Amino acid sequence: MTEPLIYELSSPGRKGVSLPAVDVPETALPEGLMREELPLPEVAENDVVRHFMRLSQLNYSVDTGFYPLGSCTMKYNPKVNEDMARLPGFALTHPLQDPDTAQGNLAMMYALQDWLMEIGGFAGVSLQPAAGAHGEMTGILIIRAYHHDRGDKERNKILIPDSAHGTNPASTTMSGMEVIEIPSDARGNIDLDELKKHCDESVAGLMLTNPNTLGLFEEDVQEVIDLVHGCGGLIYGDGANMNALLGVVKPGDLGIDVLHYNLHKTFSTPHGGGGPGSGPVGVVEKLVDFLPDPVVGIVDEGDEAKPPLYGLITPEKSIGRVKAFHGHFGVILRAYTYMRMLGKSGLRAVSDYAVLNANYLLAKLRDTYKVPFDRICMHEFVAEGHWDDAPDIHALDIAKRLMDYGFHPPTNYFPLIVPEALMIEPTETESKESLDAFVEAMLAIAKEAREDPEILKSAPHKTLFGRMDEVQAARQLVLCCRPLYLDKPDNK
Ligand SMILES: *Cc1c(COP(=O)(O)O)cnc(C)c1O
């Protein structure tokens, strides 16, 4: 970095803030609250502002450019969401407040539950889970509770296709269930013959991602669901890919029993870098009683003179709380705003354009990049970042080189069933011009791969830092600027 680090600017006694004169008697802070050894830089306010402003400019975001990170739905997040989340009436309420004094918040949550039920074809929704993976765990715990409640305690297996997101087996294992992997067939669908072999009375359920992580609609979805229901199992839907389905297909109508939504993906709240997110769970009628506690309900219908009274309700056979208070309220509110801004036809248009944009890119790139499962895709598709006539080039090199062209790389090396995977999800918020610019960069890189492979192997060249040692970066994670870091590279 050319600019001085904030610790280098530190000067003993320099202050960034002036506190008002004390107008109460001074007392010492309680023991242990004051960390004397904390090495804070002594700098002025503008040093601090410049430090953080510079850091923010090093970041790549959807607000600075195209971000086709497959499976993550990095759509543009409308700024009106932020305005609504900052309204004092919402922002200043406290989760321990008496529900009678937070009726606006509860009405908003109730409406969102209702819309998610309508979009998914479900009978109940809980807004509690903090992210998609958390929704998965909640859903699997609901499936488990349902079987146990019927006295069926032997069902301990969850079938998971090999194309599933890594969170599926992880949340299943965390819920105390056993994972059985089901392979995909040559068209990228769940292999029905393999599925049949595993459908028996030990199956608690199957986790289905549709469209799957190849961006493909599961062609035999009805048969898969019927097979699992036929042996007494339930269907968990990984709804992270709802961006392809809004107003087109209701998962509940397909026979999915429980599904999580990723509000931070489909319904536009900023995400990446670990959160916060929101992964509400929708369920069919027979699972409503098992939803986590509490859900928002109407406790008094009201009449012409009196509006309905909202309250927090504990479902009868609830699996219990999965999150403190009421979920990530700020994310819930942003998703609510997004849905109100778009309305019914707008939400349907989201999916139409998300699918159209992905198919446009696929059509433009399929002659240059190998597409292993080449059929009409949904909101994303998976290409291979490798060519036989450029044997040294790998998907990672293409991803890094894309940064030089000003684009965020696509998802790399996922899903695992495609070697050298480049998973591309443009989302509906990109113009034809930005899609065309991306295509141009991808075609130029394919040419460079043959003519000047070294420029790819050593990319990126235009970023502040060049090619990273990713293994070392993961092992020696340095996330904050500390004075120790300056003279001791091991940061100990
Ligand atoms: C993103 C994603 C998840 C996990 O969601 P998080 O909110 O990141 O926990 C699960 N499944 C699929 C298919 C996803 O794309």
Side-chain angles (χ1 to χ4, degrees):
M1 237 189 277
T2 48
E3 295 87 1
L5 287 170
I6 192 144
Y7 282 99
E8 295 170 322
L9 296 175
S10 184
S11 171
R14 189 170 288 165
K15 286 200 167 66
V17 287
S18 319
L19 295 177
V22 190
D23 59 359
V24 291
E26 277 189 52
T27 52
L29 277 174
E31 191 75 24
L33 265 190
M34 192 75 171
R35 285 174 59 189
E36 296 287 351
E37 83 291 358
L38 212 56
L40 294 175
E42 296 179 76
V43 288
E45 178 175 323
N46 55 356
D47 294 328
V48 175
V49 168
R50 286 172 187 165
H51 170 74
F52 285 108
M53 193 53 85
R54 268 203 307 265
L55 287 182
S56 79
Q57 288 168 343
L58 295 180
N59 200 14
Y60 190 96
S61 70
V62 270
D63 285 352
T64 48
F66 184 42
Y67 207 129
L69 190 67
S71 199
C72 295
T73 314
M74 304 304 284
K75 62 173 73 180
Y76 174 73
N77 309 297
K79 298 302 167 245
V80 64
N81 296 353
E82 303 305 314
D83 293 343
M84 295 306 111
R86 279 165 181 71
L87 285 179
F90 286 125
L92 300 181
T93 41
H94 193 281
L96 288 177
Q97 217 168 299
D98 183 338
D100 288 0
T101 67
Q103 285 294 302
N105 301 35
L106 293 176
M108 184 278 290
M109 293 171 82
Y110 186 83
L112 186 65
Q113 286 176 188
D114 210 38
W115 297 342
L116 290 174
M117 274 152 59
E118 173 66 24
I119 287 169
F122 292 115
V125 159
S126 164
L127 300 176
Q128 266 193 23
H134 195 199
E136 291 168 24
M137 192 176 124
T138 305
I140 299 297
L141 289 175
I142 289 174
I143 289 176
R144 187 165 169 264
Y146 166 80
H147 290 307
H148 281 207
D149 183 59
R150 294 182 304 117
D152 192 346
K153 299 195 174 153
E154 302 305 313
R155 293 183 183 271
N156 62 351
K157 287 185 189 147
I158 298 283
L159 311 178
I160 302 182
D162 61 358
S163 60
H165 197 268
T167 49
N168 287 195
S171 37
T172 295
T173 306
M174 281 188 74
S175 309
M177 302 293 237
E178 190 189 333
V179 175
I180 306 290
E181 189 177 280
I182 309 291
S184 305
D185 67 16
R187 282 183 65 77
N189 293 310
I190 294 176
D191 189 321
L192 288 177
D193 291 332
E194 283 296 320
L195 177 61
K196 282 178 197 149
K197 285 187 206 156
H198 291 283
C199 280
D200 57 31
E201 61 286 353
S202 67
V203 169
L206 172 135
M207 292 182 97
L208 181 73
T209 311
N210 191 25
N212 64 24
T213 62
L214 294 164
L216 301 174
F217 196 88
E218 202 51 60
E219 290 171 307
D220 307 314
V221 63
Q222 217 54 72
E223 202 167 349
V224 168
I225 291 174
D226 292 346
L227 274 170
V228 175
H229 280 164
C231 72
L234 297 186
I235 301 287
Y236 182 89
D238 180 332
N241 293 341
M242 276 305 288
N243 216 43
L245 302 184
L246 299 173
V248 184
V249 178
K250 292 186 182 186
D253 291 354
L254 285 177
I256 286 170
D257 299 292
V258 43
L259 169 135
H260 80 262
Y261 305 82
N262 285 64
L263 296 191
H264 45 294
K265 295 181 182 171
T266 315
F267 302 106
S268 82
T269 72
H271 61 290
S278 178
V281 162
V283 293
V284 293
E285 192 69 51
K286 67 182 174 207
L287 299 179
V288 166
D289 286 346
F290 298 94
L291 281 172
D293 154 47
V295 290
V296 179
I298 292 182
V299 291
D300 179 353
E301 289 289 348
D303 51 38
E304 270 164 34
K306 197 161 64 104
L309 187 69
Y310 297 93
L312 298 167
I313 292 174
T314 300
E316 213 177 297
K317 300 172 182 172
S318 175
I319 59 162
R321 250 181 197 288
V322 297
K323 176 90 181 75
F325 302 121
H326 316 303
H328 284 156
F329 184 80
V331 180
I332 290 167
L333 178 54
R334 285 171 175 86
Y336 170 91
T337 306
Y338 178 73
M339 286 196 210
R340 281 208 70 165
M341 292 300 288
L342 286 172
K344 195 171 161 182
S345 59
L347 286 175
R348 164 73 199 237
V350 162
S351 287
D352 287 345
Y353 284 110
V355 171
L356 182 64
N357 281 0
N359 277 286
Y360 181 73
L361 288 186
L362 172 61
K364 291 273 187 186
L365 293 176
R366 65 153 60 96
D367 292 338
T368 310
Y369 288 80
K370 190 172 159 203
V371 177
F373 301 95
D374 191 3
R375 52 182 166 99
I376 293 212
C377 68
M378 295 290 107
H379 61 309
E380 61 191 352
F381 64 96
V382 180
E384 276 184 30
H386 187 66
W387 301 274
D388 291 341
D389 61 343
D392 291 342
I393 298 301
H394 298 281
L396 185 71
D397 305 315
I398 297 166
K400 297 294 183 197
R401 183 65 178 146
L402 266 170
M403 296 165 77
D404 288 336
Y405 284 90
F407 296 106
H408 194 285
T411 294
N412 241 191
Y413 300 113
F414 174 78
L416 301 174
I417 53 174
V418 175
E420 304 284 346
L422 287 171
M423 185 188 208
I424 300 171
E425 179 182 11
T427 84
E428 72 284 1
T429 57
E430 294 304 321
S431 64
K432 180 168 177 297
E433 288 77 7
S434 58
L435 299 180
D436 285 336
F438 177 72
V439 168
E440 225 169 274
M442 288 292 280
L443 300 184
I445 290 171
K447 205 154 166 269
E448 287 171 347
R450 276 70 173 214
E451 293 170 1
D452 185 9
E454 194 41 44
I455 201 165
L456 267 70
K457 302 282 333 158
S458 52
H461 304 279
K462 295 188 181 162
T463 49
L464 187 60
F465 297 98
R467 181 79 66 108
M468 295 286 170
D469 179 339
E470 299 196 358
V471 176
Q472 194 190 351
R475 293 218 176 121
Q476 289 186 11
L477 202 58
V478 179
L479 292 178
C480 62
C481 175
R482 288 203 258 167
L484 294 175
Y485 176 55
L486 294 177
D487 45 16
K488 291 192 189 161
D490 64 355
N491 197 35
K492 291 277 157 55

